[in-house]
Amino acid sequence: MQRLSSYVQGAWHAGTENSETLYDPTTEEAIAECSTAGIDFGACVRYAREVGGPALRAMTFAERGKLLKALSGAIHEHREELIEIGVTNGGNTRGDAKFDIDGATGTLAAYAHYAKSLGDRKFLSDGDGEQIGRTARFHAQHVRVPRHGVAVHINAFNFPSWGMMEKLACSILAGVPVIEKPGTPTAWLAWRVAQITVESGILPEGSFQFLCGKTGDLLDHLGGQDCMAFTGSARTGALLKGREALVKNNVRVNVEADSLNAAVLAPDVDASSDTYGVFLSNVVTDMTQKTGQKCTAVRRILVPSDRVDEVRTDLVAELARIQVGDPRDKANRMGPLSSKAQFDDVRAGIERLAAVGDVACGGPQPLTDKGYFVAPTLIVAKDGEAEIIHSDEVFGPVSTIVPYDGDAASAAAIVRKGGGGLVCSAYSNDSDWLETYVLEAAPWHGRIWTCSDRVAEQTLPPGMVLPNLVHGGPGRAGGGEELGAARGLEFYTQRTALQGFKGFVEKAFGAK
Ligand code: NAP
């Protein structure tokens, strides 16, 4: 049994009491254990602030960017080994594991690239300076500087590698040390990435700590210069956001939570068009990639009422081609759910959705005697208004077809019932239809992805989070925002409006 340790205050720490067990979701075999028992969480926070923070702030953006580039390379060197861990502990197919691991190294590399444009400076100019006095002499400039705290990052189980490194990339580039905590059921991969990070010696001491297991009273030690970025369920997000110490000390909090992402097919898209082909392929990918355990996966498929039978038939045929089974076998395109808890949740969720619809394929029954396997499950809503379709995120290979009347504004009104999402996709060759849809849906979304025949050949799927675009969404999706190139640094920096003699303000802090 592998014991997964935590890296705190410059040393590895393996707690032995109150251990949690990790499993191989294909075989249900216990494979690893972890515990944070005995860790002094307050000391971790102080160590980050006192050792890691000053070391990072002594560097320029360009220098910190070089760290990210080197780290990306160091992790990439272990790609094969990391893929194996993703297969064993996450139930990932090789393709799914690569998506997570390459997502991590790709995001680190992208932020290393942005760093070059930020240059040899230790602050960021925010917009242009402006005259605020009677004459040009009295001047103002907004600047952004790294906060003198620590960033606590709490991640979900579904992207142990990418989830950790996308947050780390922004924080380290901004000059703020991190304490990373992965979701426990799949923490082996995050732990190995953490080991590679520490062994590489690339990051300055104190700038990276890693907790494998419970966070104890960690959050109670955070203060006004610190921040906490959380990714996970809306329920946990709300619980942590409301924690007394965070509220009292005005700790900056970013929450990335659930999302009932929608794909909307417009009435003009005929079955022979490229756009229709992309629609089918994206829905199938979103439902089955990572066994549907993706925060951006499509949960609701809006289809004009008179096309429901056609889309149902086509999707069922496509989903039937997805072979489900042991992810070690390359013939299988979908593996198990990542944990017993996920398996139980998804099966119960399918039953709840089946109560308001017809099961077109799949269902809640287990596919095998051992392992957490369910089939890709497509449900056709009997009543598109049923609340559960718009409020219950079944975090697995499950999606529901919701009929609508073909009008762009009505589609957006139905999508908005999700209460705020990370991404929605819309398929149409009618620009007026798309424009209406975007304006009606955008306030409820962090990202809107559109497809027409003009771009069908070159689109990246809507489920793919890109480092240059923001990730996050309002309302139910957590109200947070991450990534988005330089926008991703805002959370970790303080914006200060600087006023004074133009000769000083502009020379020292002006935009270059
Ligand atoms: P979760 O159960 O809410 O857990 C998320 C993280 O919070 C885990 O690291 C968990 O640790 C930790 N946690 C739970 N209770 C805590 C507490 N009281 N104090 C401190 N930490 C605590 O979610 P999950 O099952 O891992 O992930 C699935 C959910 O994440 C889905 O709802 C999905 O939509 C969402 N998600 C959202 C995004 C996004 O970007 N918006 C991305 C990925 C996933 P333990 O594992 O040790 O309990």
Side-chain angles (χ1 to χ4, degrees):
M1 179 95 82
Q2 180 72 50
R3 179 152 283 279
L4 309 179
S5 40
S6 298
Y7 185 72
V8 290
Q9 296 170 262
W12 289 98
H13 171 100
T16 48
E17 282 166 34
N18 305 323
S19 291
E20 292 175 87
T21 307
L22 285 69
Y23 296 88
D24 177 337
T26 304
T27 62
E28 300 185 29
E29 185 195 342
I31 50 174
E33 283 182 324
C34 66
S35 163
T36 55
I39 290 177
D40 178 343
F41 296 101
C44 298
V45 168
R46 288 192 296 279
Y47 190 70
R49 286 186 195 138
E50 291 164 15
V51 180
L56 286 173
R57 292 195 300 274
M59 304 171 110
T60 64
F61 286 102
E63 287 167 337
R64 294 195 289 260
K66 285 184 188 149
L67 304 181
L68 300 184
K69 182 149 192 261
L71 189 55
S72 171
I75 296 169
H76 185 74
E77 276 179 33
H78 295 265
R79 188 169 183 257
E80 277 306 314
E81 177 202 345
L82 295 173
I83 290 171
E84 287 303 317
I85 298 174
V87 171
T88 304
N89 184 204
N92 296 168
T93 61
R94 275 183 66 82
D96 289 346
K98 284 183 204 163
F99 190 52
D100 184 18
I101 294 153
D102 296 346
T105 52
T107 304
L108 287 167
Y111 270 91
H113 180 72
Y114 301 138
K116 286 190 203 155
S117 65
L118 304 178
D120 289 321
R121 297 177 113 187
K122 294 181 180 170
F123 63 90
L124 297 169
S125 309
D126 185 328
D128 292 330
E130 60 182 296
Q131 176 179 334
I132 50 165
R134 212 167 12 91
T135 71
R137 246 194 289 169
F138 198 48
H139 187 79
Q141 170 73 53
H142 286 93
V143 293
R144 285 198 160 271
V145 290
R147 285 156 65 105
H148 285 207
V150 58
V152 172
H153 294 155
I154 298 180
N155 290 305
F157 77 86
N158 59 335
F159 281 100
S161 168
W162 179 83
M164 179 161 82
M165 285 297 145
E166 57 101 11
K167 286 186 171 64
L168 177 146
C170 293
S171 191
I172 293 289
L173 183 56
V176 177
V178 299
I179 299 176
E180 298 287 340
K181 183 243 176 310
T184 302
T186 57
W188 190 342
L189 179 57
W191 169 76
R192 185 62 191 117
V193 172
Q195 257 194 340
I196 294 165
T197 301
V198 172
E199 282 165 9
S200 73
I202 292 165
L203 297 181
E205 186 45 53
S207 63
F208 176 82
Q209 295 180 83
F210 175 80
L211 296 174
C212 209
K214 298 283 173 246
T215 51
D217 66 355
L218 172 71
L219 300 181
D220 298 332
H221 296 279
L222 300 185
Q225 286 286 308
D226 304 314
C227 60
M228 193 271 293
F230 166 84
T231 296
S233 63
R235 196 181 49 238
T236 313
L239 185 81
L240 297 189
K241 203 177 195 170
R243 202 163 166 125
E244 193 186 341
L246 302 190
V247 175
K248 195 169 110 219
N249 299 331
N250 291 311
V251 176
R252 259 190 201 170
V253 173
N254 192 72
V255 173
E256 300 287 342
D258 305 0
S259 181
L260 279 290
N261 310 297
V264 184
L265 183 71
D268 66 278
V269 178
D270 69 71
S272 62
S273 67
D274 291 346
T275 301
Y276 187 70
V278 175
F279 162 76
L280 291 180
S281 141
N282 281 346
V283 170
V284 171
T285 299
D286 263 351
M287 285 180 67
T288 56
Q289 189 175 43
K290 295 214 110 224
T291 318
Q293 300 164 116
K294 232 171 40 177
C295 55
T296 51
V298 168
R299 307 290 172 202
R300 300 174 293 162
I301 310 161
L302 270 69
V303 176
S305 306
D306 58 351
R307 307 273 303 275
V308 166
D309 289 344
E310 171 196 348
V311 170
R312 170 190 176 138
T313 305
D314 290 345
L315 282 175
V316 168
E318 292 295 323
L319 289 167
R321 291 144 69 117
I322 305 289
Q323 193 169 311
V324 184
D326 186 339
R328 290 169 185 90
D329 179 345
K330 286 186 184 153
N332 290 327
R333 286 176 56 200
M334 193 176 100
L337 291 155
S338 291
S339 66
K340 173 81 165 64
Q342 267 292 106
F343 185 56
D344 293 343
D345 278 1
V346 167
R347 293 182 57 213
I350 293 174
E351 274 173 11
R352 285 193 299 273
L353 288 174
V356 296
D358 292 327
V359 178
C361 64
Q365 61 282 359
L367 283 188
T368 49
D369 292 339
K370 270 267 174 248
Y372 308 134
F373 294 94
V374 292
T377 298
L378 183 69
I379 290 165
V380 180
K382 285 187 199 130
D383 169 13
E385 298 281 318
E387 204 233 319
I388 199 157
I389 298 169
H390 306 285
S391 63
D392 202 347
E393 185 205 42
V394 181
F395 204 59
V398 185
S399 201
T400 304
I401 294 181
V402 180
Y404 80 105
D405 64 10
D407 178 64
S410 337
I414 295 173
V415 171
R416 292 196 305 247
K417 287 176 186 284
L422 296 172
V423 56
C424 67
S425 48
Y427 299 80
S428 179
N429 287 308
D430 177 344
S431 296
D432 291 339
W433 191 100
L434 277 179
E435 188 179 333
T436 303
Y437 178 76
V438 167
L439 289 173
E440 292 291 320
W444 273 260
H445 291 89
R447 184 159 60 87
I448 296 187
W449 181 104
T450 66
C451 180
S452 64
D453 288 349
R454 301 293 296 272
V455 291
E457 259 182 77
Q458 50 173 289
T459 54
L460 295 166
M464 185 179 276
V465 172
L466 298 170
N468 44 331
L469 303 183
V470 291
H471 173 61
R476 187 198 171 95
E481 191 177 278
E482 289 181 337
L483 298 171
R487 295 172 191 88
L489 307 191
E490 295 198 359
F491 182 63
Y492 301 99
T493 53
Q494 178 63 40
R495 184 176 9 232
T496 304
L498 177 64
Q499 298 163 273
F501 173 50
K502 185 175 183 185
F504 158 68
V505 172
E506 203 170 56
K507 183 156 183 278
F509 294 100
K512 289 215 171 92

